[in-house]
Amino acid sequence: MSEAVMFSDKLVLPLLATLGASLTILFIQLNTRRVKETKQKIYTASYIMHQCYKILFSELSIIKATIVPHIKAIERILEGDEKLLTTMFLANEFDILKVPSPKITNLPDDYLLVVGYDDIQLVSIYETLAYINSDDTYRQDLNECVKNKLKNMNAFMVLTAEEKTDILHEYYDHLISIEHASKRKIFFILYQVAPSFSRYVRRYQFWLYSKRSLNTEKQKIKNAAAEYKDYLPAADFGHESMNGGIQKEIT
């Protein structure tokens, strides 16, 4: 009987040792994978917040330094300021926004994937931002208008007063469209993208991990919004955009 017990001990003890070692290795592997994926999630959130800051600062800078001044200039010209019109032609001031907005470079699929496992809506929000930022139609339309109708002062000056007014109104409309598109990006960043990812990284799974880079980008977004507060879209901009215009008239 004792020999059977000893034989049994010889089998069980090594088996338990092997099982314990296997479980330890499995735990280490799973923990390593969890740590890696958590860091990927934080990197993804930090990266997207950085893209938000780049786009936000670019759009606000353009609105303040270029779009709004040109809108005001065209309004003065349409009111009869011929001297300003001549100045804009001589300084080639109609030809603006030659460079598109900063592009969002693609994140690796596995980085988006791990965030999508937690919240697929976050991936959708990021993809929406990338889409609206890639739409360069309004800027191209403005440049086409300038190239065809506002490059040559002599050709413009021989037009009838009505033709001149129509061209200036067309240019003005392009500026308004660009301003609206910029404000749509700004609104989406400030009221959707940034808050969504800020809430995401406050989850308990990230409590023990450094978020210094992400917090830096969040602060830069806040600073830009404060610096350009006079050019931010109103809090009801999204609602007005969805329910204004013809929608408002037919409802």
Side-chain angles (χ1 to χ4, degrees):
M1 185 72 176
S2 60
E3 290 183 1
V5 172
M6 290 178 61
F7 183 72
S8 177
D9 289 344
K10 289 180 180 179
L11 289 176
V12 172
L13 292 176
L15 180 62
L16 290 176
T18 302
L19 180 60
S22 298
L23 290 174
T24 300
I25 293 172
L26 180 60
F27 173 78
I28 292 173
Q29 289 176 338
L30 290 175
N31 187 63
T32 300
R33 179 178 177 181
R34 180 183 62 82
V35 170
K36 177 185 176 183
E37 289 183 349
T38 303
K39 288 182 177 180
Q40 284 181 335
K41 293 172 184 179
I42 294 174
Y43 172 82
T44 300
S46 301
Y47 172 87
I48 292 173
M49 293 293 262
H50 177 64
Q51 300 304 310
C52 285
Y53 168 71
K54 284 200 312 181
I55 297 170
L56 179 69
F57 185 78
S58 173
E59 298 298 330
L60 286 171
S61 298
I62 289 172
I63 288 177
K64 178 181 179 180
T66 304
I67 301 301
V68 170
H70 278 74
I71 287 175
K72 291 180 178 179
I74 298 303
E75 289 173 346
R76 281 177 51 186
I77 292 171
L78 288 170
E79 291 172 357
D81 193 333
E82 293 288 337
K83 182 178 179 181
L84 181 57
L85 174 63
T86 301
T87 299
M88 289 191 68
F89 267 116
L90 294 176
N92 199 27
E93 278 290 331
F94 289 108
D95 200 8
I96 59 175
L97 302 182
K98 303 298 292 183
V99 179
S101 299
K103 292 183 179 180
I104 295 180
T105 53
N106 293 328
L107 273 166
D109 290 340
D110 56 332
Y111 280 70
L112 285 175
L113 189 63
V114 292
V115 172
Y117 284 145
D118 287 341
D119 190 342
I120 191 64
Q121 185 66 24
L122 291 172
V123 177
S124 178
I125 288 171
Y126 167 72
E127 290 175 342
T128 300
L129 175 63
Y131 172 76
I132 64 175
N133 188 62
S134 67
D135 185 3
D136 202 30
T137 305
Y138 295 122
R139 187 188 65 86
Q140 292 178 7
D141 289 344
L142 176 74
N143 289 332
E144 194 68 20
C145 172
V146 173
K147 183 177 73 173
N148 295 331
K149 302 174 182 179
L150 289 166
K151 271 291 188 181
N152 190 313
M153 183 172 69
N154 293 329
F156 181 85
M157 290 304 184
V158 299
L159 298 174
T160 66
E162 183 177 355
E163 289 171 331
K164 292 177 184 177
T165 299
D166 287 344
I167 292 173
L168 292 172
H169 272 297
E170 180 182 349
Y171 183 78
Y172 181 84
D173 289 342
H174 287 309
L175 292 173
I176 294 296
S177 295
I178 292 173
E179 181 185 38
H180 182 83
S182 292
K183 286 187 175 181
R184 183 176 62 167
K185 292 183 196 178
I186 294 166
F187 182 87
F188 190 62
I189 288 171
L190 292 179
Y191 291 92
Q192 188 68 42
V193 187
S196 295
F197 280 91
S198 292
R199 288 192 296 269
Y200 174 62
V201 296
R202 288 200 295 268
R203 296 183 182 184
Y204 74 90
Q205 63 177 302
F206 303 116
W207 286 356
L208 300 179
Y209 293 84
S210 172
K211 297 179 283 292
R212 181 166 51 182
S213 177
L214 184 140
N215 290 332
T216 297
E217 298 304 323
K218 285 172 59 177
Q219 189 60 48
K220 286 161 67 175
I221 289 173
K222 290 180 181 179
N223 292 344
E227 181 181 354
Y228 293 93
K229 64 181 185 299
D230 294 337
Y231 299 91
L232 298 178
D236 63 350
F237 175 84
H239 176 77
E240 290 297 320
S241 296
M242 291 294 295
N243 299 286
I246 191 62
Q247 294 92 338
K248 186 176 181 179
E249 297 299 325
I250 63 177
T251 56

